[in-house]
C-alpha cells in the first residue's frame, strides 16, 4: 500500500536489513512508524551478502558484541516473526600467514571473550581438519569461531517487514526520498510526510539522504562482487566461511561450488586484472582450486565508514538518527541496530549493551 499518511511519529528511510529491523522494533512499542524504500525491500546492500551471520570480527570486539546480541535474536526469530531463516551452523575460520597477526589475535582475545565472542587459536593442522582445501604450509595459525551460521538475508527482511506491518507500521516501497526539510517534512514523489523523528538506514544512499537534512555522514559507497567457481574436481562438502587475514580473500561452500570474494578492484585496476589476482590467490591458498574458473555470482554496493565500524547514533540537536556504514555486515548486526535505534527514539538513550554506539 503506497498511500502516504500526512504525519508519522517516525519515518525510517531504507527497507533493507537495518531499516526493516528498526521499523519492526519501533512499531512494536506502539510508535507510529512509516518505512520508505526507494525500490523493493532488501534490494540494496542486503542482497549482496555471502549469507553468513557471524560474531567474530578480528580486531573489532565492539562489532562482535552487537553481532552476539543479534545472533541471539536470530535464534528466536521464527518464534517472533513466523519466518524461518534456515539457520545452519557453518563456522568462521580466519587464516594467518604472519606471526604479527597471531600476536594481534592474542592481544585482542580477552576483549573478544568479554564481548561474548567464542573464538580460539588453531594450528595449521587443526585448520586443515576444518577446511581440507587449505595448503597448511601457507599459514602459521588460524582463528576459529564456531558461532557463524548460514542465514537468508531476504528472510530476515521479509520477517521484520511482516512483523512491522502486523504491529501497525506502514511499509511503502518504490518511494524514494527527494528532500528533507529542517522542520522534519520528508518529500517523496508520492507526497510529503511530516515526521516527528527521521531515521536514515539507507545503506549505500545514507550519505545522500543525510545530506538532504544538512548532515554529513562519513559513509562512502563501494561496489562489491561475489564470484562462483566452476565445479571442483572433488566435492567441496561443508566448508566453513574462511577468511585470509592478509588479502581479505574469503570462501564458503555454496551448493556444489565455492563462493569467493576478495574486496574490490584497486584504484585503476580493471575487472580482468582483479579476477586474475583473485584466481592467483585462490590457487595459492587452496591448491585443489588452482586454475578453476571464476564466474559472476552477484554484485551490489556496500556502505562503509573510514574504520569499517558502523555508525549508529543521533544528531545532538535534531530528531534525526542514523544506522549506516555496515560494510556488508548488516546481516550480523541488524537486530541489535534495531534495538539501539528503538531505545534512542523511545527513551532517548541506548540500553546497556550497545557498545558500538557512536553518536554525534
Amino acid at each position: 500500500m503506497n498511500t502516504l499518511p500526512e504525519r508519522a511519529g517516525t519515518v525510517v528511510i531504507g527497507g533493507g536489513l537495518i531499516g526493516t529491523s528498526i521499523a519492526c522494533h519501533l512499531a512494536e512499542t506502539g510508535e507510529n512508524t512509516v518505512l520508505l524504500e526507494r525500490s523493493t525491500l532488501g534490494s540494496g546492500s542486503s542482497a549482496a551478502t555471502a549469507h553468513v551471520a557471524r560474531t567474530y570480527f578480528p580486531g573489532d570486539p565492539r562489532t562482535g558484541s552487537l553481532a552476539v546480541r543479534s545472533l541471539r535474536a536470530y535464534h528466536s526469530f521464527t518464534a517472533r516473526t513466523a519466518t524461518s531463516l534456515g539457520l545452519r551452523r557453518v563456522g568462521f575460520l580466519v587464516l594467518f600467514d604472519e606471526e604479527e597477526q597471531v600476536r594481534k589475535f592474542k592481544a585482542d582475545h580477552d576483549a573478544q571473550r568479554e564481548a561474548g565472542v567464542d573464538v580460539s587459536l588453531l594450528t595449521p593442522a587443526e585448520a586443515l581438519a576444518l577446511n581440507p582445501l587449505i595448503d597448511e604450509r601457507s599459514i602459521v595459525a588460524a582463528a576459529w569461531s564456531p558461532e557463524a551460521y548460514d542465514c537468508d538475508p531476504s528472510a530476515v527482511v521479509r520477517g521484520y517487514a511482516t512483523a512491522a506491518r502486523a504491529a501497525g507500521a506502514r511499509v511503502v516501497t518504490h518511494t524514494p526520498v527527494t528532500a528533507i526539510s529542517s522542520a522534519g517534512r520528508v518529500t517523496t514523489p508520492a507526497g510529503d510526510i511530516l515526521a516527528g523523528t527521521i531515521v536514515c538506514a539507507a545503506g549505500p544512499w545514507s550519505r545522500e539522504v543525510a545530506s538532504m537534512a544538512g548532515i554529513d555522514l562519513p559513509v562512502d559507497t563501494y561496489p562489491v562482487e561475489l564470484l562462483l567457481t566452476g565445479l571442483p574436481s572433488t566435492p567441496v562438502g561443508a566448508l566453513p566461511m574462511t577468511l585470509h587475514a592478509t588479502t581479505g580473500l574469503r570462501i564458503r561452500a555454496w551448493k556444489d561450488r565455492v563462493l569467493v570474494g576478495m574486496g574490490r578492484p584497486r584504484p585503476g585496476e580493471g575487472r580482468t586484472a582483479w579476477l586474475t589476482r583473485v584466481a592467483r590467490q585462490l590457487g595459492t591458498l587452496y591448491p585443489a582450486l588452482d586454475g578453476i574458473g571464476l564466474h559472476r555470482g552477484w554484485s551490489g554496493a556496500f556502505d562503509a565508514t573510514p574504520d569499517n565500524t558502523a555508525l549508529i547514533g543521533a544528531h545532538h540537536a535534531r530528531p534525526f538518527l542514523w544506522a549506516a556504514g555496515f560494510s556488508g555486515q548488516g546481516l550480523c548486526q541488524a537486530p541489535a541496530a534495531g534495538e539501539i535505534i528503538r531505545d534512542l527514539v523511545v527513551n532517548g538513550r541506548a540500553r546497556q549493551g550497545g557498545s558500538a554506539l557512536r553518536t554525534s
Side-chain angles (χ1 to χ4, degrees):
M1 183 168 56
N2 283 15
T3 302
L4 299 182
E6 293 182 0
R7 294 175 177 269
T10 299
V11 170
V12 179
I13 303 172
L17 289 157
I18 306 301
T20 54
S21 171
I22 291 169
C24 176
H25 283 90
L26 284 172
E28 288 180 343
T29 70
E31 178 75 4
N32 177 10
T33 304
V34 174
L35 182 148
L36 301 176
E37 163 56 40
R38 62 185 291 147
S39 182
T40 57
L41 295 178
S43 58
S45 297
S46 302
T49 76
H51 293 219
V52 173
R54 58 184 168 98
T55 60
Y56 175 47
F57 291 80
D60 188 7
R62 295 186 307 162
T63 296
S65 68
L66 294 187
V68 168
R69 184 169 158 183
S70 294
L71 189 57
R72 286 197 298 266
Y74 285 146
H75 281 304
S76 61
F77 196 83
T78 301
R80 178 180 185 177
T81 68
T83 302
S84 173
L85 301 182
L87 289 179
R88 179 177 59 85
R89 181 179 283 178
V90 294
F92 180 50
L93 187 65
V94 181
L95 307 179
F96 301 140
D97 56 12
E98 300 173 2
E99 292 295 342
E100 177 63 14
Q101 294 166 342
V102 178
R103 187 196 67 76
K104 288 181 178 178
F105 171 88
K106 292 178 178 178
D108 183 53
H109 192 244
D110 285 347
Q112 294 283 357
R113 288 288 192 175
E114 289 173 7
V117 178
D118 182 1
V119 62
S120 56
L121 191 67
L122 302 184
T123 66
E126 290 171 326
L128 179 64
L130 291 167
N131 184 340
L133 296 181
I134 296 169
D135 178 1
E136 64 176 304
R137 297 168 300 177
S138 67
I139 62 173
V140 296
W144 170 244
S145 179
E147 291 299 293
Y149 292 79
D150 185 282
C151 181
D152 182 359
S154 65
V156 177
V157 170
R158 185 170 62 254
Y160 272 139
T162 299
R165 291 188 184 101
R170 188 77 63 85
V171 177
V172 186
T173 59
H174 302 286
T175 306
V177 171
T178 56
I180 300 172
S181 76
S182 59
R185 186 169 295 279
V186 179
T187 299
T188 81
D192 293 0
I193 307 175
L194 186 60
T197 301
I198 298 170
V199 180
C200 174
W205 299 276
S206 291
R207 191 167 204 160
E208 176 186 345
V209 168
S211 69
M212 297 178 192
I215 295 169
D216 182 24
L217 276 185
V219 175
D220 292 320
T221 301
Y222 65 89
V224 63
E225 182 177 346
L226 292 175
L227 308 165
L228 285 169
T229 67
L231 284 172
S233 56
T234 57
V236 297
L239 294 178
M241 167 72 88
T242 305
L243 171 72
H244 183 224
T246 300
T247 64
L249 177 75
R250 61 192 187 279
I251 70 168
R252 62 158 301 194
W254 191 267
K255 299 180 181 178
D256 55 354
R257 300 172 188 266
V258 177
L259 184 68
V260 180
M262 193 169 84
R264 58 185 186 266
R266 296 165 178 162
E269 182 181 40
R271 186 172 184 274
T272 299
W274 173 69
L275 286 173
T276 299
R277 183 161 57 90
V278 173
R280 185 181 303 116
Q281 187 60 50
L282 189 67
T284 298
L285 281 172
Y286 310 106
L289 301 180
D290 190 20
I292 198 168
L294 292 176
H295 312 282
R296 184 184 296 275
W298 52 90
S299 60
F302 286 162
D303 51 314
T305 61
D307 65 358
N308 289 322
T309 301
L311 292 170
I312 308 174
H315 192 270
H316 67 280
R318 297 171 55 187
F320 188 95
L321 297 87
W322 50 79
F326 288 86
S327 304
Q329 301 303 331
L331 176 62
C332 303
Q333 302 173 70
E339 293 171 359
I340 292 170
I341 293 294
R342 173 200 63 199
D343 293 345
L344 285 171
V345 172
V346 175
N347 304 321
R349 59 181 175 81
R351 73 174 177 86
Q352 187 175 6
S355 59
L357 177 68
R358 292 193 284 167
T359 60
S360 301

mmCIF file with all atom_site columns, all heavy atoms in Angstrom, residues 5 8 91 211 259 300 344 352:
data_model
loop_
_atom_site.group_PDB
_atom_site.id
_atom_site.type_symbol
_atom_site.label_atom_id
_atom_site.label_alt_id
_atom_site.label_comp_id
_atom_site.label_asym_id
_atom_site.label_entity_id
_atom_site.label_seq_id
_atom_site.pdbx_PDB_ins_code
_atom_site.Cartn_x
_atom_site.Cartn_y
_atom_site.Cartn_z
_atom_site.occupancy
_atom_site.B_iso_or_equiv
_atom_site.pdbx_formal_charge
_atom_site.auth_seq_id
_atom_site.auth_comp_id
_atom_site.auth_asym_id
_atom_site.auth_atom_id
_atom_site.pdbx_PDB_model_num
ATOM 1  N N   . PRO A 1 5   ? 0.629  8.610   4.719  1.00 0.00 ? 5   PRO A N   1
ATOM 2  C CA  . PRO A 1 5   ? -0.073 9.432   5.703  1.00 0.00 ? 5   PRO A CA  1
ATOM 3  C C   . PRO A 1 5   ? 0.527  10.833  5.730  1.00 0.00 ? 5   PRO A C   1
ATOM 4  O O   . PRO A 1 5   ? 1.653  11.046  5.269  1.00 0.00 ? 5   PRO A O   1
ATOM 5  C CB  . PRO A 1 5   ? 0.188  8.690   7.015  1.00 0.00 ? 5   PRO A CB  1
ATOM 6  C CG  . PRO A 1 5   ? 1.511  8.019   6.802  1.00 0.00 ? 5   PRO A CG  1
ATOM 7  C CD  . PRO A 1 5   ? 1.534  7.627   5.347  1.00 0.00 ? 5   PRO A CD  1
ATOM 8  N N   . ALA A 1 8   ? 3.729  11.166  10.728 1.00 0.00 ? 8   ALA A N   1
ATOM 9  C CA  . ALA A 1 8   ? 4.194  9.928   11.351 1.00 0.00 ? 8   ALA A CA  1
ATOM 10 C C   . ALA A 1 8   ? 5.039  10.281  12.559 1.00 0.00 ? 8   ALA A C   1
ATOM 11 O O   . ALA A 1 8   ? 5.691  11.334  12.591 1.00 0.00 ? 8   ALA A O   1
ATOM 12 C CB  . ALA A 1 8   ? 5.001  9.096   10.365 1.00 0.00 ? 8   ALA A CB  1
ATOM 13 N N   . GLY A 1 91  ? 30.372 -22.102 10.824 1.00 0.00 ? 91  GLY A N   1
ATOM 14 C CA  . GLY A 1 91  ? 31.627 -21.710 11.452 1.00 0.00 ? 91  GLY A CA  1
ATOM 15 C C   . GLY A 1 91  ? 32.410 -20.704 10.624 1.00 0.00 ? 91  GLY A C   1
ATOM 16 O O   . GLY A 1 91  ? 32.175 -20.536 9.420  1.00 0.00 ? 91  GLY A O   1
ATOM 17 N N   . SER A 1 211 ? 22.525 14.142  3.773  1.00 0.00 ? 211 SER A N   1
ATOM 18 C CA  . SER A 1 211 ? 22.856 15.475  3.258  1.00 0.00 ? 211 SER A CA  1
ATOM 19 C C   . SER A 1 211 ? 21.600 16.302  2.982  1.00 0.00 ? 211 SER A C   1
ATOM 20 O O   . SER A 1 211 ? 21.634 17.533  3.047  1.00 0.00 ? 211 SER A O   1
ATOM 21 C CB  . SER A 1 211 ? 23.700 15.370  1.990  1.00 0.00 ? 211 SER A CB  1
ATOM 22 O OG  . SER A 1 211 ? 22.946 14.861  0.903  1.00 0.00 ? 211 SER A OG  1
ATOM 23 N N   . LEU A 1 259 ? 31.813 -20.231 -3.161 1.00 0.00 ? 259 LEU A N   1
ATOM 24 C CA  . LEU A 1 259 ? 31.568 -18.798 -3.276 1.00 0.00 ? 259 LEU A CA  1
ATOM 25 C C   . LEU A 1 259 ? 32.837 -18.060 -2.869 1.00 0.00 ? 259 LEU A C   1
ATOM 26 O O   . LEU A 1 259 ? 33.437 -18.371 -1.839 1.00 0.00 ? 259 LEU A O   1
ATOM 27 C CB  . LEU A 1 259 ? 30.403 -18.400 -2.382 1.00 0.00 ? 259 LEU A CB  1
ATOM 28 C CG  . LEU A 1 259 ? 29.934 -16.942 -2.448 1.00 0.00 ? 259 LEU A CG  1
ATOM 29 C CD1 . LEU A 1 259 ? 29.309 -16.647 -3.807 1.00 0.00 ? 259 LEU A CD1 1
ATOM 30 C CD2 . LEU A 1 259 ? 28.925 -16.663 -1.327 1.00 0.00 ? 259 LEU A CD2 1
ATOM 31 N N   . GLY A 1 300 ? 26.737 -5.866  -5.982 1.00 0.00 ? 300 GLY A N   1
ATOM 32 C CA  . GLY A 1 300 ? 25.942 -4.813  -5.359 1.00 0.00 ? 300 GLY A CA  1
ATOM 33 C C   . GLY A 1 300 ? 26.855 -3.717  -4.872 1.00 0.00 ? 300 GLY A C   1
ATOM 34 O O   . GLY A 1 300 ? 27.982 -3.561  -5.360 1.00 0.00 ? 300 GLY A O   1
ATOM 35 N N   . LEU A 1 344 ? 16.849 4.745   21.423 1.00 0.00 ? 344 LEU A N   1
ATOM 36 C CA  . LEU A 1 344 ? 17.163 6.154   21.249 1.00 0.00 ? 344 LEU A CA  1
ATOM 37 C C   . LEU A 1 344 ? 15.916 6.972   20.939 1.00 0.00 ? 344 LEU A C   1
ATOM 38 O O   . LEU A 1 344 ? 15.745 8.090   21.419 1.00 0.00 ? 344 LEU A O   1
ATOM 39 C CB  . LEU A 1 344 ? 18.202 6.333   20.141 1.00 0.00 ? 344 LEU A CB  1
ATOM 40 C CG  . LEU A 1 344 ? 19.641 5.969   20.487 1.00 0.00 ? 344 LEU A CG  1
ATOM 41 C CD1 . LEU A 1 344 ? 20.511 5.980   19.237 1.00 0.00 ? 344 LEU A CD1 1
ATOM 42 C CD2 . LEU A 1 344 ? 20.198 6.928   21.529 1.00 0.00 ? 344 LEU A CD2 1
ATOM 43 N N   . GLN A 1 352 ? 21.951 -0.562  27.869 1.00 0.00 ? 352 GLN A N   1
ATOM 44 C CA  . GLN A 1 352 ? 23.286 -1.116  28.083 1.00 0.00 ? 352 GLN A CA  1
ATOM 45 C C   . GLN A 1 352 ? 23.513 -2.303  27.144 1.00 0.00 ? 352 GLN A C   1
ATOM 46 O O   . GLN A 1 352 ? 22.654 -3.139  26.955 1.00 0.00 ? 352 GLN A O   1
ATOM 47 C CB  . GLN A 1 352 ? 23.432 -1.581  29.536 1.00 0.00 ? 352 GLN A CB  1
ATOM 48 C CG  . GLN A 1 352 ? 24.845 -2.023  29.890 1.00 0.00 ? 352 GLN A CG  1
ATOM 49 C CD  . GLN A 1 352 ? 24.955 -2.362  31.358 1.00 0.00 ? 352 GLN A CD  1
ATOM 50 O OE1 . GLN A 1 352 ? 23.973 -2.378  32.063 1.00 0.00 ? 352 GLN A OE1 1
ATOM 51 N NE2 . GLN A 1 352 ? 26.155 -2.634  31.812 1.00 0.00 ? 352 GLN A NE2 1
#
